Amino acid sequence: MGDKGRILIVKLHKKRLSLLLKDNRILAARVQQDATIAVGDIYIGRVQSISPNISAAFIDLGGKNLTFLPITDAATAFVLNRKPDGSLKAGDELLVQVTKEPMKMKLAGVTTRLSLSGQYAVAGIKPEGLKDGVQVSSKLDTAKQAYFRELEELNQISGRFRLIVRTNAGTLDRADALLEEAHFLSDTLSHILEAAPTRTCYSCLYRNKPDYVSFVENAYQTEYEEVVTDIPEVYDTLLEPCRKADIPLRLYEDSLLPLYKLYSVEQRLQELTDKKVWLKSGGYLVIEPTEALIAIDVNTGKYESGKDKEETFYRINKEAAEMIAVHLRARNLSGMILVDFINLKSRERETELLEYMRGLLKRDPIPARALDMTALGLMELTRKKVAPSLAEQLKNP
């Protein structure tokens, strides 16, 4: 029976790390960010300028925090210092929520489509034209989806807000915890909207939870059985959310063997920053991030092929696909990804490999897709950018 997995929250070289470990490998990782603005925070910002050429507005949140807003968000903007008309003008004061951290030379991203996320649900501003009704994660089985869509209390909330039931709700035997959280999120969002007209520009109306709390909430509960930390203040903060979600929480207190050494955290992080990744078959991957895209090369390596080369190459490619899906998530690689698999002569086998990759990427909490095979036999993948890569997070002071 395999390792059921655990979440570790540890300190290493003055950085706080949140790690999801399962079957002796890191599935997801997050490095503490001490930025003045964080993903999920809600502010009253001021439009500094509009740039039609790139279809964007630049929103000042105060304190030298300039952010990027897609101009398509203008229609849903909650403008506070004039009557909203679906447009944006320089000087407008509006409610925005941080959606992306600043990355390299890119500004932080914001949206006017406010939403609050919990362990089991997401409550957000309802887009114009969206019908009433509860939206449910497609990763849940059809019986669970139907059950959640028919809950009367959830449907009442969906009359005021966009309500999404998350995949983690599938672990619940009863809906009590989901209903409690859905009411809390929608009530909090109501209070923010009511308070906004009375607050001054650059006010922060909502500060998101600490990064490690969000990390625990966003991990699939089917992937781990406990949360372990050796940081007392982290343990104290997690007590209530873990109690509500019925997640075992443990404070590790062995001073002779630090938690990060017990689980070989340094070694595992090193594996996630190396270019070469070995496969059990003897093959290997080479992962090369560039400015424009991520290039991944699949090689047969030490594997000695038998009589049926096509079948052998297909098997190595499938193993490589599994490892690629793991490393995209663990390294938090995003944008355009090109994979050079071992060439297959059979078009049918290529199609099977593409479908297999699509199935693997559906397990990723961050939206990721396998698009197609190019004329040169490269597989095109995309993964949404929401935060810097793990390598960048580890480098940041």
Side-chain angles (χ1 to χ4, degrees):
M1 198 169 170
D3 175 22
K4 288 187 178 177
R6 57 191 43 81
I7 288 177
L8 299 185
I9 302 164
V10 299
K11 272 196 175 172
L12 178 65
H13 306 315
K14 298 183 180 180
K15 294 179 183 289
R16 187 180 65 229
L17 305 173
S18 302
L19 307 167
L20 173 59
L21 271 69
K22 190 174 184 182
D23 296 328
N24 293 316
R25 65 166 55 130
I26 294 174
L27 293 186
R30 177 71 177 157
V31 182
Q32 172 190 1
Q33 300 297 308
D34 287 325
T36 53
I37 59 172
V39 171
D41 292 352
I42 297 176
Y43 286 84
I44 298 176
R46 175 175 281 136
V47 178
Q48 187 188 79
S49 61
I50 310 287
S51 181
N53 292 340
I54 58 172
S55 299
F58 295 97
I59 312 297
D60 184 8
L61 303 187
K64 298 182 180 178
N65 289 310
L66 192 63
T67 61
F68 176 97
L69 174 75
I71 204 68
T72 50
D73 274 25
T76 54
F78 196 124
V79 181
L80 298 165
N81 59 341
R82 68 177 178 87
K83 187 176 180 180
D85 60 5
S87 69
L88 288 179
K89 302 178 177 65
D92 281 353
E93 295 177 9
L94 66 159
L95 275 179
V96 292
Q97 183 169 32
V98 182
T99 55
K100 292 181 183 177
E101 298 170 11
M103 289 181 264
K104 294 182 181 177
M105 302 302 290
K106 294 184 178 180
L107 297 175
V110 293
T111 182
T112 60
R113 300 177 171 97
L114 313 184
S115 66
L116 301 181
S117 180
Q119 186 95 21
Y120 307 116
V122 178
I125 301 297
K126 183 183 286 191
E128 193 173 336
L130 182 71
K131 294 179 181 178
D132 291 355
V134 181
Q135 295 175 276
V136 183
S137 167
S138 60
K139 295 179 182 179
L140 293 174
D141 63 56
T142 51
K144 284 273 187 183
Q145 289 185 41
Y147 171 67
F148 290 131
R149 285 196 183 100
E150 290 167 9
L151 283 174
E152 188 179 343
E153 281 189 65
L154 293 184
N155 279 289
Q156 287 174 352
I157 295 171
S158 77
R160 295 182 295 137
F161 296 106
R162 181 182 188 181
L163 188 66
I164 303 169
V165 176
R166 303 186 68 182
T167 306
N168 272 337
T171 63
L172 297 172
D173 294 324
R174 299 178 48 164
D176 297 10
L178 168 63
L179 294 171
E180 181 184 348
E181 185 176 86
H183 280 295
F184 173 78
L185 295 173
S186 59
D187 288 346
T188 303
L189 198 50
S190 291
H191 292 321
I192 291 168
L193 297 175
E194 288 167 9
T198 66
R199 302 292 294 276
T200 59
C201 194
Y202 309 135
S203 294
C204 179
L205 301 185
Y206 178 80
R207 186 76 68 184
N208 204 7
K209 309 152 195 149
D211 53 6
Y212 54 86
V213 177
S214 297
F215 187 89
V216 171
E217 289 184 344
N218 291 331
Y220 294 143
Q221 282 181 253
T222 52
E223 291 183 318
Y224 65 95
E225 61 180 354
E226 65 171 349
V227 177
V228 187
T229 183
D230 55 358
I231 309 170
E233 58 268 31
V234 169
Y235 176 81
D236 291 341
T237 303
L238 283 171
L239 269 174
E240 185 59 16
C242 283
R243 182 196 64 77
K244 280 186 174 181
D246 197 24
I247 298 170
L249 173 66
R250 179 160 57 94
L251 179 63
Y252 181 85
E253 297 180 289
D254 187 342
S255 58
L256 297 178
L257 181 63
L259 189 57
Y260 76 88
K261 284 193 175 180
L262 178 64
Y263 287 97
S264 307
V265 168
E266 284 182 290
Q267 177 191 332
R268 294 177 195 221
L269 287 173
Q270 182 61 48
E271 291 168 0
L272 293 180
T273 53
D274 287 344
K275 282 186 182 179
K276 187 176 282 190
V277 179
W278 285 100
L279 306 174
K280 288 179 181 178
S281 63
Y284 64 90
L285 311 176
V286 176
I287 302 175
E288 290 268 15
T290 70
E291 282 294 318
L293 52 81
I294 313 291
I296 302 178
D297 191 32
V298 181
N299 297 273
T300 53
K302 299 174 183 176
Y303 189 89
E304 295 183 12
S305 61
K307 292 180 182 178
D308 190 345
K309 282 189 176 182
E310 184 79 357
E311 188 59 35
T312 297
F313 291 162
Y314 179 67
R315 195 162 57 248
I316 295 173
N317 279 339
K318 281 187 73 176
E319 185 188 0
E322 291 168 9
M323 190 61 77
I324 287 166
V326 167
H327 277 260
L328 291 182
R329 182 181 174 192
R331 297 180 185 225
N332 199 34
L333 300 176
S334 53
M336 174 61 77
I337 300 124
L338 287 181
V339 185
D340 188 5
F341 283 102
I342 303 165
N343 288 337
L344 298 170
K345 292 179 182 177
S346 165
R347 180 65 181 167
E348 186 181 340
R349 280 300 204 195
E350 268 194 357
T351 303
E352 286 176 14
L353 182 63
L354 180 64
E355 289 304 317
Y356 187 66
M357 190 81 238
R358 284 171 175 160
L360 293 170
L361 294 179
K362 283 180 181 177
R363 303 175 192 170
D364 195 328
I366 304 296
R369 293 191 302 150
L371 301 176
D372 209 344
M373 303 292 288
T374 70
L376 296 175
L378 303 175
M379 189 181 291
E380 295 176 297
L381 314 178
T382 62
R383 190 168 183 272
K384 187 177 179 181
K385 289 187 180 184
V386 293
S389 69
L390 177 62
E392 291 175 87
Q393 291 180 45
L394 290 169
K395 283 179 188 173
N396 286 343

